[in-house]
Amino acid sequence: MRGARVVFGVLGAIAPCAHAHRLAGWQASGAARALAIGGALGGAHGRRLFRSALVPRTASPPTTMAATAAATTSGAEAPPVPKLRADYAPPAYAIKKVHLDFALGADETTVTADLAVEPWDAGARTGDARADLVLDGEELTLDALSIDGTPLEPSAYSHGPTSLTIRGAALPAGAFTLRTVVRTKPRLNTALSGLYYSGRMLCTQCEAEGFRRITFFLDRPDVMAVYSVRMAGPQAAMPVLLSNGNLLKAGVDEARDGPGSHFAEWADPFPKPSYLFALVAGALQHISSSYVTRSGRTVTLNIYSEPESVDALEYAMGALKRSMRWDEEVFGLEYDLDLFNIVAVSDFNMGAMENKGLNVFNTACVLARPWSATDADYERVEGVVAHEYFHNWTGNRVTCRDWFQLTLKEGLTVYRDQAFSADMSSEAVKRISDVRMLRARQFAEDASPLAHPIRPESYVAMDNFYTATVYEKGAEVIRMYAALLGKAGFRKGMDLYFKRHDGAAVTCDDFRKAMADANGRDLAQFEGWYTQPGTPTVHATWAHDAGARTFSLTLRQVPPAAAGASAPPLHVPVAFALLRADGSGEALGERVLELTEREATFTLNDVEGEVVPSILRGFSAPVHLVAQRTDAELAFLMAHETDAFNRWEAANALMTRVLLGAADAGARREPLGEVPAVLLDACRATLVERAADRSLQALALALPDFDTLSSSVEVVHPQPLCAAIGWLKKGLAAALKPELLSVYAQCAADDAATAAYSPDAESIGRRRLRDACLSYLSALDEADTTALCMQQLKGARCMTDALAAFSAASRVSGPARLEASAIFADKVKDDPLALDKWYRTRAAADVPSALSEVRELMSLPSFSLTNPNRVRAVVGAFTALNHKTFHKEDGSGYAFTAQCVIDLDKINPQVAARLARSFSAWRRLEPASGALMKAQLEQLQRTPGLSRNTLEIVNTSLQ
Ligand SMILES: *[C@@H]1O[C@H](CO)[C@@H](O)[C@H](O)[C@H]1NC(C)=O
Ligand SMILES: *[C@@H]1O[C@H](CO)[C@@H](O)[C@H](O)[C@H]1NC(C)=O
Ligand SMILES: [Zn+2]
């Protein structure tokens, strides 16, 4: 699955292939010993936390805690009991085969399920002391229940709000078939989990725990079964009937299904967990193509959508073929079914879902046409199509034993989609964009009470753990394996992982073991990355002894507060090189230093001449690096770094330094003064350079964002921080106006000279740099700069042109702001995804009347709380992007958001819980804002009837 807030814009790259071996001349003091000590610690830790799935089951097998709690009540919902990773035990029963029969209707659907149940470890069981069978089930009306054809007596079972318990005494000793008949109400299912109605179709979303809203089941990923499906529904309203696997039969059987009905039968021959089940039925159209695999098999590819969007599917089709080719070339993984279906759905909580053979996508992650999608959207579509396709191996064929292991499939698959996107465009641009996103979202999460390890230890609502930490930091952890083992070693590890575990439900430890065994490495200490929450800090200091011609680098790691000061040291790969101080290149090429102790000194001999160290190249580990550099050194690195990421990082560090200084001054009510000359000169140099890659230029000019800056200070003063960002943007624009105008004109002219819209890297770079210039210029709020925005908007040739101009114009003070809004609205009024962009831009606009404007937006007829994309476009954009108004001193922004959480929670708890996360930063805000935000959390906690999803976020934020 891919989250809904998947990065806007470029995604990054596989790291420059790192070398796992130290070159001669390098000694890491005590590194080997450190590994041994760390290994022992990691191992003990692992054993304690890891009660094995292989422990023989006792006579009365443990059921899951939540299920036990639920089964004891009937009526009111039991207080939520957190599930603990340490409590993992296999279920008492296995389900090996599932046949589902759907009588489909938007108002009511009846599901008859035949489950082939047997004791989990059939051989080891005796006939007596049989365990209860506790099935998960929510929002289901139970009509019938039988075992091997005999209806059950009411005394044999009990039915609570979240489960169905059949007493052990009522169960046969060996295998049996359980039949349940239930009814659900798809149209009323606004939570969009389970079976629901969206647009003109019925569709499903089962990950993580939605299958239990379709039928009673052991709804956990280690229960893997072979599924067959019969579905029948009205032919007129549901001409297309899809499910996983292969189509066996389709036709009309009115005697059985009623007049006007038709049916289809699908079978998926491979065992799968219930979260990968999918069904779609509706009035869909599709485009079709085919792909020939490297072994010569022809695969039919279909992408379905509502009829008005079929013209926007071609780009996704191309992306799908590129993904299939890439996975064959890079990982040797080939598709071996004859059919692959994708469906676009407009009401969807997440970005997309990798159901076997039937991927379901949020329209925002699959539809792309020049007039509704920006360059960033095109990049996202390609990345998400690839992500879901890659899941077939990393997720579907090898899946997770339990939900604590989510990063096993998600971190790995994000890593793979990042590598794919890097290969399709630019490695450096992708890497920088990914790290920017990691810092803005994941580092911010780490700095909040919601911090958790990539493999969490407990959860109440699993939906709350589809987080930046599990996904994005999870991908960084995979990347570190590649840094430590090298590209070839990583591939060996992947090959062994598939060889050992194809078709199984496994753990993160199994993955780490495959990597270690394939390479003969001890990766015990590396487990720390799975157990410790928070972002570690690495301090770097160095000394150059010209007489002795030695250079020594000392690295010291400090655990994050969230992990506790005594947390054992991590195994940190630090990519490193030495640059010549005269700017003439590298004195020593890149290698990877392995920091395994709290502190280690690496000494290099025979160093000639003056050098400057290049540290953590390519951002080789997800840490805060502290290296004391002067402004002049940063300026040197901006010009002469040989690592593209670090070159960008130098610019970013200089801007961060200036911004935080200004924010401090503002918090002390001191004047902000002038933008330092060193920064002006560096930005001017970046701007006028005729770089080969204009995307890199644009990134180097991008100011650090509010969230990243916030997570790098102890106490956040929101208003002074916003003011500092505004001050720097305007200051740079004023000083560089002539250069900005001229680069803008060059890029615009180059773009006008191209024939048609194309989302290739070069065209994107041109528009990106042009729009970066326009954004700076608009900050001046002068007549000529505003006119430039209006000119670009009126002459726009594609959505990228229009949106950049509208965003820039949406912050100016004069009447042009509303004029731009009207022009843009007129262009997009008939296209829901494009209209979302209008809503988002209005909600994010930093204007004095922002809050009342957001309220107005929510009263428009096209606004609806039931469509997650629209909610994110308005309320999500307001809380995440409109910092000045969200953090308004009178608390009105917080109060508004809290009310939205309450209203939304009744409709869609998953989306409400995401919104409630905007309050998690309260502890680090200056006291007045912090108290106001905390008060809203406390009010939420007291609100009766709040979902467990939202309450878990609220409670954790308050802890
Ligand atoms: C997906 O997995 C199934 C079996 O689990 C396999 O038959 C199919 O070929 C896989 N598809 C891809 C994309 O590899
Ligand atoms: C949250 O805390 C409240 C009050 O302490 C408690 O009643 C509730 O059960 C908790 N809910 C969750 C989901 O943790
Ligand atoms: Zn995923």
Side-chain angles (χ1 to χ4, degrees), residues 79-80 82 460 941 947-956 959:
V460 170
Q941 197 176 43
S947 69
R948 66 194 173 109
N949 297 57
T950 302
L951 263 181
E952 181 177 29
I953 299 294
V954 169
N955 285 7
T956 311
Q959 261 159 33

Side-chain angles (χ1 to χ4, degrees), residues 462-479:
M462 186 55 211
D463 299 323
N464 284 334
F465 284 87
Y466 287 75
T467 58
T469 298
V470 167
Y471 277 66
E472 266 66 43
K473 184 174 177 183
E476 294 297 321
V477 170
I478 300 295
R479 211 164 191 287

Side-chain angles (χ1 to χ4, degrees), residues 315 319 322-323 377-386 420 424:
Y315 186 74
R322 291 193 290 281
S323 315
D377 295 331
Y378 273 86
E379 290 173 325
R380 182 178 53 214
V381 166
E382 182 174 73
V384 177
V385 167
F420 165 76
M424 295 298 118

